[in-house]
Amino acid sequence: MTIHSGEERTIWEGESQNVTAKATGGRFTLHYRLTTHYLYFETGGITGTKLEQVPLINVQDVDVAQSLVQKTRKVGNLMVHIIRPDGRHETAVFDSIPDPVRVRDLINQTVHQVRAAAHQRQVTEQQNLNVHRYEATGPVPAIPPAPGMPSAPPVQYAPAGSPPAPAEQTDTPEQVMALLKQLGELRDAGVVTPEEFEAKKKDLLDRI
């Protein structure tokens, strides 16, 4: 199943406003970016940084943590909770982000949209797969009559949700018995339900 579709677009970009960034005049600043596909973020410090990316489908939730000093500076830490493909749970910290509540809500909203779109694609793919399976197998073949029994017309079934079609008139008890045998085999194969079998059986017996 394809998780991402369409062109990747940037939704938000930001950088850390922590003490290190302020002390170095922005030369050692961690950068963060949210797109329609991924979260990109840098980790590390003065000795070096590392750029990571996480598919939005793997983001579980985002929280905000603020110290008193951060509140006065109108910044805060974003706690991004991630589930890795191997099942490991991790938390990435976006350090000292301006307007953290707005950014948290933006990330959570984007993740929700990605999950909803992925679920819809999964449903559509499953529906298409079911249609292909039906086209490949075709309708249920007619069951040949038992030795010595005359051939009977095939049983017709209406699509789901349609009113049942009236049963065709039969001319002889032998044809009725042949139809009952076919219905019994269809019931045993799970094609018709026991309730459908009993209703059709009563209708056929009333015509003898």
Side-chain angles (χ1 to χ4, degrees):
M1 180 184 65
T2 302
I3 296 299
H4 309 297
S5 63
E7 181 181 356
E8 184 178 13
R9 295 180 292 104
T10 297
I11 298 174
W12 167 84
E13 285 184 281
E15 59 184 29
S16 174
Q17 299 292 325
N18 59 17
V19 176
T20 302
K22 186 176 181 180
T24 60
R27 288 179 298 169
F28 297 101
T29 302
L30 300 178
H31 297 85
Y32 311 100
R33 183 162 68 101
L34 168 68
T35 73
T36 52
H37 295 64
Y38 297 94
L39 261 181
Y40 297 88
F41 56 94
E42 292 179 329
T43 59
I46 296 178
T47 57
T49 60
K50 175 184 177 183
L51 177 64
E52 298 190 43
Q53 69 178 45
V54 174
L56 294 183
I57 200 72
N58 291 344
V59 176
Q60 185 179 28
D61 195 14
V62 181
D63 298 322
V64 173
Q66 283 182 295
S67 66
L68 291 177
V69 174
Q70 286 178 322
K71 287 182 179 180
T72 61
R73 298 176 54 219
K74 297 181 179 180
V75 298
N77 296 343
L78 294 184
M79 318 299 289
V80 182
H81 305 290
I82 301 167
I83 301 180
R84 296 293 186 180
D86 59 5
R88 290 181 295 113
H89 290 246
E90 297 181 4
T91 299
V93 180
F94 289 17
D95 188 19
S96 298
I97 299 297
D99 200 358
V101 174
R102 182 185 69 85
V103 178
R104 176 202 62 190
D105 294 343
L106 184 59
I107 295 175
N108 281 333
Q109 179 183 10
T110 306
V111 169
H112 174 75
Q113 292 172 350
V114 168
R115 289 184 181 275
H119 174 72
Q120 184 57 48
R121 283 193 292 272
Q122 186 179 27
V123 171
T124 301
E125 291 174 4
Q126 184 61 46
Q127 290 173 343
N128 292 339
L129 180 61
N130 292 339
V131 170
H132 293 159
R133 285 176 177 172
Y134 175 80
E135 292 175 347
T137 57
V140 179
I143 302 175
M149 299 294 289
S151 299
V155 180
Q156 301 294 329
Y157 296 96
S162 302
E168 296 182 359
Q169 295 288 342
T170 56
D171 296 327
T172 65
E174 289 79 7
Q175 288 181 322
V176 173
M177 296 305 295
L179 280 173
L180 288 175
K181 178 178 177 61
Q182 285 183 323
L183 281 172
E185 293 175 346
L186 291 175
R187 177 201 58 193
D188 295 340
V191 178
V192 298
T193 65
E195 292 77 11
E196 291 172 332
F197 171 78
E198 292 298 332
K200 191 67 177 179
K201 173 183 175 182
K202 183 178 183 302
D203 181 65
L204 291 174
L205 291 177
D206 288 344
R207 297 180 182 275
I208 297 179

